[in-house]
Amino acid sequence: MKKYSDRDSLIQSGRLRIGCTAALSALLLLLLNACGSSSHDSPTASQNSTAAQACTALSGQSVGSAHLVTSLAAASGDVPLYCKVQGKIGPSLNFEMRLPDQWNGRLHYIGGGGYNGSIPPLTGPDAHSRLPLVALKRGFVTIASDSGHQGSSVDASFALNDPVAAELYGSLSVPTVMASAVKAIAAAYGAPPVKSYFEGCSNGGREALMSVQRFPNLFDGVIARAPGYNAVGFIGHFNLTAKLLAAPGGMLNAAKIGLLADRVRKACDGLDGIRDGIVSNPAACTPALVNYPALRCGGGVDSGDSCLSDAQLAVVNAWTSDVNWAGSPTFRNAGWSLSGNEDAPGVWDAWLTGYGDVTHSARFLLQDTTIKNLMARDPKVNSLQYAPYDQNTNQLFALGVLSDATNPDISPFIANGGRLIMWQGASDPALSTHSTIEYYKHLRDAVGATKADAAAKLYFAPGVGHCAGGPGADAVDLLAALDDWSSKGSVPGTLTSTKWDAATGAVAQSMPLCQYPLYPRYTGPVGDAAAAKLAANFTCTAP
């Protein structure tokens, strides 16, 4: 069980790292010394407290550095009865706790996305957005925050003139919220959590690794889904591809994206034992086998949807190539694989091409706001004309210090009994699976293979996009696997992913989720479409 006693233990355990500005230092001291600490008066509570009793215990209280407002949320549909606790710390850090009617003694903190700016809701339309509800229904207290500012997840303008907001986003919001949340839980239920877990995807995955690296005593276990841990590297890659797409003739329309994806599927789909529209053996899907340069139009000039021009091939080349920037070995990003799902809804169209206008793509918006507000520090800068990306290495170092979670030595986390699960969709268009593999390999080198195997696991879900979606099975209960691992010592092996039918809510597909570097190979009956939808007919196999 983690200890959350006082300010000194927080600082000594490395949970709070004070930034260089006097304003930030003053704010953190205020947060840790705020009036309403654990000595506040509240009604008697116990771990058997109901949601209603927990709401009563915390209503209007100031606990730690947070002022709390509570409301009892009635059961509705799939959502059970719970106590909603809205907390505010300092001028702009907001968080929300959902306290279950029957607490299991555990805490689940869900990370944000992009540049955060809002509190992730309890549930949503896809497998990732439903994770907090899954935890709540199991009896976890769930927590989420806006990371210290309010705004769009693709807007970093909050950091332009507010170093406190920038530091909270970068690394301090999670430990700051936890310092108050754990005290609030103890006030509501009479005891702090016996186990605390963090789970997040994309930026939430970055927050997960940031917690492991900088605050190794904060959580018993962490789930880092598609971790955007190397901001300097992937923002630079986003900038590179955006420039190429914006260049004359560089844009790929839906037909050309389909042409490329179809070539990948024809070359690689069957390498996993079955042609099902999903390339499940990416290691065998080599560039030489795909040979996408063979799609070149005659003379390199665009002559229609049956070929790619030189300008369009330059985009594909950049997509699949590693990039390195000046200043540090960590200022790099590994290229993406061609997955065969580039034409799936929400993959290249949403993330890369912006449905024909690169300035509408998610990758453009993220690199644009980062360059404007965190690098050039000038909102009027045109990111498509910002060249070279590493023109000022001091800017890269500043971004890296703020946002990068690239330290592979997680020995303190492991020594504290911490457990780490990493997961990513194999068709992720936002963050490179090869970059995730690089971090995992560096981790194994830093702590040793034996320690790494005992404390860290990596999984890739074939055919799954960024955090969720795509034709693959995108739902997997990593929280249950982590809790069994941390609480019972049950080391996770092959897990099971499912894909839910959006209309009926029934399971449409199940697949084994194999530990890297294994992949799911079809070993079931030939020509049986129904069998190809069942995990039992696949075997995790070495590439």
Side-chain angles (χ1 to χ4, degrees):
M1 181 180 76
K2 301 297 178 214
K3 306 298 183 185
Y4 308 90
S5 56
D6 54 25
R7 179 190 62 189
D8 292 337
S9 66
L10 281 168
I11 295 173
Q12 290 167 6
S13 65
R15 293 180 196 134
L16 290 177
R17 294 191 176 183
I18 297 176
C20 60
T21 66
L24 181 61
S25 298
L27 175 65
L28 289 174
L29 288 175
L30 173 64
L31 297 182
L32 292 171
N33 287 295
C35 55
S37 66
S38 58
S39 62
H40 77 282
D41 295 327
S42 66
T44 302
S46 72
Q47 189 168 332
N48 295 323
S49 295
T50 65
Q53 290 169 330
C55 267
T56 299
L58 297 179
S59 178
Q61 298 291 326
S62 290
V63 180
S65 303
H67 180 71
L68 307 177
V69 177
T70 67
S71 60
L72 192 64
S76 176
D78 198 33
V79 179
L81 173 76
Y82 70 97
C83 173
K84 178 189 290 187
V85 182
Q86 295 170 300
K88 189 175 185 66
I89 300 174
S92 61
L93 176 54
N94 300 294
F95 68 96
E96 184 172 299
M97 298 193 298
R98 297 101 181 197
L99 309 184
D101 207 32
Q102 293 183 319
W103 185 40
N104 66 6
R106 287 155 169 74
L107 175 156
H108 176 255
Y109 197 129
I110 190 73
Y115 277 107
N116 295 338
S118 61
I119 296 173
L122 176 60
T123 188
D126 60 31
H128 175 68
S129 61
R130 287 194 292 267
L131 293 176
L133 178 59
V134 171
L136 179 66
K137 290 172 68 176
R138 199 169 293 153
F140 285 79
V141 167
T142 75
I143 303 175
S145 89
D146 59 12
S147 83
H149 67 276
Q150 295 73 52
S152 165
S153 64
V154 292
D155 181 7
S157 62
F158 67 90
L160 183 60
N161 298 307
D162 189 343
V164 172
E167 290 273 9
L168 285 170
Y169 161 78
S171 62
L172 292 178
S173 64
V174 173
T176 301
V177 168
M178 280 289 287
S180 293
V182 170
K183 291 179 180 179
I185 292 169
Y189 292 109
V194 295
K195 291 288 182 180
S196 296
Y197 305 122
F198 186 97
E199 182 171 17
C201 190
S202 194
N203 181 61
R206 181 195 68 87
E207 292 173 322
L209 291 184
M210 190 71 80
S211 296
V212 167
Q213 296 168 22
R214 298 194 189 181
F215 311 102
N217 297 334
L218 196 57
F219 295 102
D220 298 280
V222 165
I223 300 167
R225 293 174 178 258
Y229 72 94
N230 59 327
V232 172
F234 72 74
I235 289 296
H237 217 148
F238 288 4
N239 178 252
L240 173 62
T241 53
K243 289 172 180 174
L244 291 170
L245 282 160
M251 178 57 65
L252 286 82
N253 62 20
K256 288 178 179 285
I257 296 172
L259 178 73
L260 176 66
D262 185 61
R263 184 173 185 87
V264 178
R265 288 191 294 265
K266 286 179 178 176
C268 301
D269 190 2
L271 300 177
D272 51 22
I274 188 171
R275 290 193 172 274
D276 57 357
I278 298 173
V279 176
S280 296
N281 184 4
C285 189
T286 63
L289 187 63
V290 174
N291 189 24
Y292 66 82
L295 295 174
R296 183 176 186 259
C297 299
V301 178
D302 196 342
S303 56
D305 293 341
S306 62
C307 62
L308 300 181
S309 69
D310 284 348
Q312 292 154 356
L313 284 171
V315 175
V316 184
N317 289 336
W319 176 267
T320 57
S321 299
D322 299 349
V323 292
N324 295 276
W325 311 108
S328 169
T330 65
F331 295 166
R332 62 169 271 108
N333 196 66
W336 281 254
S337 293
L338 291 171
S339 69
N341 297 132
E342 290 77 15
D343 57 350
V347 182
W348 270 30
D349 51 9
W351 279 93
L352 185 64
T353 65
Y355 302 93
D357 183 346
V358 67
T359 64
H360 292 168
S361 73
R363 288 163 58 108
F364 172 86
L365 294 171
L366 287 166
Q367 65 83 33
D368 185 64
T369 194
T370 302
I371 288 173
K372 281 179 164 66
N373 296 292
L374 288 167
M375 294 179 62
R377 306 196 68 79
D378 180 357
K380 296 187 292 295
V381 163
N382 183 342
S383 63
L384 293 177
Q385 297 175 2
Y386 187 81
Y389 174 73
D390 53 359
Q391 61 186 265
N392 186 332
T393 54
N394 286 336
Q395 294 173 347
L396 299 188
F397 278 111
L399 178 60
V401 168
L402 179 73
S403 300
D404 277 1
T406 52
N407 182 5
D409 187 356
I410 64 168
S411 297
F413 177 74
I414 295 174
N416 195 58
R419 298 292 180 261
L420 170 65
I421 296 177
M422 299 173 68
W423 172 99
Q424 189 167 2
S427 296
D428 191 333
L431 297 165
S432 166
T433 57
H434 292 299
S435 282
T436 303
I437 291 170
E438 279 190 4
Y439 178 78
Y440 180 69
K441 288 181 175 179
H442 290 325
L443 184 160
R444 288 174 58 83
D445 290 341
V447 306
T450 300
K451 285 185 179 180
D453 290 343
K457 305 295 179 185
L458 173 60
Y459 297 91
F460 290 106
V464 175
H466 186 56
C467 298
D474 61 351
V476 57
D477 194 348
L478 296 180
L479 180 59
L482 181 65
D483 189 31
D484 285 345
W485 193 9
S486 180
S487 300
K488 304 174 185 177
S490 300
V491 181
T494 299
L495 304 175
T496 300
S497 296
T498 55
K499 188 174 186 66
W500 300 88
D501 186 292
T504 66
V507 175
Q509 179 185 11
S510 65
M511 284 282 288
L513 184 66
C514 305
Q515 285 190 51
Y516 174 83
L518 305 182
Y519 75 93
R521 183 170 186 83
Y522 183 71
T523 52
V526 177
D528 189 332
K533 299 291 185 182
L534 300 175
N537 292 310
F538 291 80
T539 302
C540 289
T541 305

